[in-house]
């Protein structure tokens, strides 16, 4: 476990270094600050309370953790996808955003739901097979 944490920390530090190096190329940081501040407000005001409230409301017992994890991942995907999801309709240059981003976002959310359902089913099955102690 310690090695995994060290590797995760090293990867995080490397990614932060990449982010800082990318920020050095930005001439006007106002848009970056506004975007990051908006992300913090969106998370703290909307996503985190919704996840914390939805877990106990939607499910009880052992399912609460996986459902909360799925909601956190779905919320994070939504926050990352918001800029392209909120873009207006057709654009003059079709190569600017060439993919069907709303569909791809829904596919990603469906994948999160499917992985959550499969992992929950596997956990239940493993519990049933385990002999009582």
């Amino acid at each position: 476990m310690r090695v995994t944490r060290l590797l995760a920390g090293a990867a995080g530090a490397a990614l932060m270094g990449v982010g800082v190096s990318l920020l050095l190329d930005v001439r006007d940081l106002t848009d970056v600050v506004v975007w990051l501040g908006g992300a913090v407000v969106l998370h703290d005001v909307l996503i985190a309370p919704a996840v914390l409230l939805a877990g106990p409301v939607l499910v009880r017992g052992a399912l609460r953790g996986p459902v909360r994890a799925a909601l956190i991942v779905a919320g994070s995907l939504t926050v990352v996808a918001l800029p392209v999801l909120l873009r207006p309709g057709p654009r003059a240059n079709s190569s600017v955003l060439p993919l069907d981003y709303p569909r791809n976002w829904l596919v990603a959310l469906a994948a999160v739901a499917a992985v959550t359902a499969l992992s929950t089913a596997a956990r239940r099955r493993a519990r049933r097979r385990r002999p009582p102690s």
Side-chain angles (χ1 to χ4, degrees):
M1 185 67 159
R2 182 178 173 151
V3 172
T4 304
R5 285 184 180 180
L6 287 172
L7 289 174
L15 288 173
M16 285 190 297
V18 169
V20 168
S21 71
L22 291 173
L23 279 176
L24 295 176
D25 294 337
V26 176
R27 292 193 177 143
D28 183 20
L29 290 177
T30 306
D31 290 339
V32 175
V33 171
V34 168
W35 191 87
L36 290 173
V40 169
V41 169
L42 182 65
H43 174 271
D44 290 351
V45 172
L46 186 67
I47 294 173
V51 167
L52 292 175
L53 292 173
V57 169
L58 292 176
V59 292
R60 302 266 185 251
L63 290 178
R64 187 177 294 171
V67 168
R68 280 186 175 172
L71 288 171
I72 290 169
V73 172
S76 300
L77 282 171
T78 302
V79 168
V80 169
L82 271 180
V84 293
L85 291 175
L86 297 177
R87 294 276 176 170
R91 287 164 266 330
N93 183 354
S94 62
S95 67
V96 172
L97 293 173
L99 302 176
D100 186 358
Y101 291 99
R103 184 202 66 206
N104 294 343
W105 171 68
L106 291 173
V107 167
L109 292 181
V112 169
V115 167
T116 303
L118 288 172
S119 67
T120 302
R123 288 174 68 185
R124 280 187 174 176
R125 188 173 182 165
R127 266 195 230 124
R128 286 187 196 145
R129 285 188 173 182
R130 202 176 316 148
S133 41

